[in-house]
Amino acid sequence: MTQLQKTRAEDPREFEAPLHGPEAFAGMRRAGRLTADALDLLVEHVRPGVTTQALDRLVATFAHDHGAYSATLLYRGYPHSICTSVNHVVCHGMPNDKPLREGDILNIDVTLIVDGWHGDSSRMYFVGEVPRRAARLCDITYECLERGIAAVAPGRTTNAVGGAIQSLAEAERCSVVRDFCGHGLGRVFHDAPTILHYVEPSYAVPLRPGMLFTIEPMINLGRPQVKVLADGWTAVTRDRSLSAQFEHTVGVTETGVEVFTYSAKGYHKPPYNLAA
């Protein structure tokens, strides 16, 4: 989940990012694995006619059955276990009883707490056959995330991550949303460091072994500007252009990066092959 509501302070960039040891990395692997499994579960259920409310119930039941619970449920009053963002919804879309339609693209964002540790991840899903421009946007967004992850290493800064994402998105004539960002996490849902998905010269946090954070670029086909609807959560593109997002939780290691939320089934990039 992106950092719409700030918890540790008005801006967690004011704080030094905590550094974590082997016990924390082990806890994050458990939380990340279960979060990925929850997203895997939804692959066969996302289809025309299904409601996002039904998907929300599936994740709530899955979490309960595995001794976990959703970090978003009742977080600052948010009433659901997942976020479901369809087409021009950028993030924090709220599950409802409206059926999904053929050609929709859908981001599902899940954060599960396992033994006190947060696993946070989101993926795009195709509802039936989707238009080529929508599939292309998802391809670009996925590659932006992968390049952002590849840029993580000790001695670099957060701008290496943002630069890798921004350069690809803009080369493909897409735009990077500025209003939301990645964030530190662990036993806390939203923590330092803030991870911008673009270059900000005035904000360059050195990456150090033991840091834990999400990378979660939101990429628009149109302009980057967004607005939040009257429900206080749902963010949409101002120009009604399509938006896509992928997210992983990662940790900085002594030699590079560890990703905690990869799918054991290889469901990283749509369309997902159920036969696999």
Side-chain angles (χ1 to χ4, degrees):
M1 193 176 191
T2 50
Q3 198 167 350
L4 179 61
Q5 305 282 350
K6 298 195 171 76
T7 56
R8 191 169 178 182
E10 285 303 309
D11 189 341
R13 286 179 288 181
E14 298 171 3
F15 291 84
E16 184 175 352
L19 303 180
H20 301 268
E23 180 183 354
F25 273 64
M28 293 299 285
R29 290 184 194 109
R30 294 192 298 273
R33 186 180 308 117
L34 194 66
T35 298
D37 289 346
L39 289 166
D40 288 350
L41 167 73
L42 299 178
V43 170
E44 62 182 295
H45 295 280
V46 175
R47 58 184 184 272
V50 172
T51 68
T52 51
Q53 196 170 69
L55 301 176
D56 183 67
R57 288 194 295 267
L58 281 170
V59 172
T61 300
F62 175 86
H64 179 269
D65 290 347
H66 289 81
Y69 58 98
S70 169
T72 61
L73 184 61
L74 303 181
Y75 173 76
R76 299 217 165 197
Y78 186 80
H80 303 287
S81 296
I82 63 176
C83 296
T84 52
S85 303
V86 182
N87 294 333
H88 73 289
V89 179
V90 176
C91 61
H92 303 153
M94 302 175 76
N96 56 42
D97 59 2
K98 181 179 179 181
L100 294 169
R101 299 182 300 176
E102 182 86 14
D104 285 342
I105 57 172
L106 167 67
N107 177 271
I108 301 178
D109 192 339
V110 175
T111 306
L112 295 185
I113 303 175
V114 179
D115 300 327
W117 297 99
H118 291 70
D120 191 356
S121 185
S122 80
R123 299 179 202 160
M124 298 302 298
Y125 295 77
F126 292 172
V127 184
E129 295 291 328
V130 306
R132 174 58 196 149
R133 65 192 182 98
R136 174 179 173 271
L137 173 64
C138 292
D139 287 346
I140 293 166
T141 307
Y142 175 83
E143 184 60 29
C144 282
L145 174 59
E146 288 294 293
R147 292 196 184 188
I149 292 171
V152 176
R156 295 180 178 173
T157 73
T158 50
N159 270 332
V161 177
I165 292 167
Q166 182 181 8
S167 61
L168 174 61
E170 294 180 352
E172 296 290 344
R173 299 189 177 184
C174 295
S175 62
V176 180
V177 172
R178 263 72 167 172
D179 297 66
F180 304 99
C181 53
H183 54 88
L185 79 173
R187 289 194 176 276
V188 177
F189 191 1
H190 292 113
D191 208 340
T194 295
I195 303 297
L196 305 179
H197 304 118
Y198 57 93
V199 174
E200 175 50 68
S202 66
Y203 177 68
V205 175
L207 299 178
R208 301 172 60 192
M211 284 183 173
L212 304 172
F213 51 82
T214 68
I215 304 175
E216 45 186 302
M218 288 138 278
I219 308 298
N220 296 347
L221 269 183
R223 297 180 181 276
Q225 287 78 17
V226 307
K227 64 178 179 180
V228 177
L229 301 185
D231 62 23
W233 289 98
T234 307
V236 301
T237 55
R238 284 190 174 273
D239 61 6
R240 303 282 295 185
S241 64
L242 291 175
S243 186
Q245 179 189 19
F246 285 89
E247 173 186 13
H248 279 307
T249 297
V250 307
V252 184
T253 68
E254 294 290 341
T255 58
V257 62
E258 179 176 351
V259 181
F260 301 116
T261 47
Y262 275 144
S263 163
K265 295 183 177 180
Y267 293 163
H268 302 317
K269 179 182 176 182
Y272 305 116
N273 179 10
L274 285 171

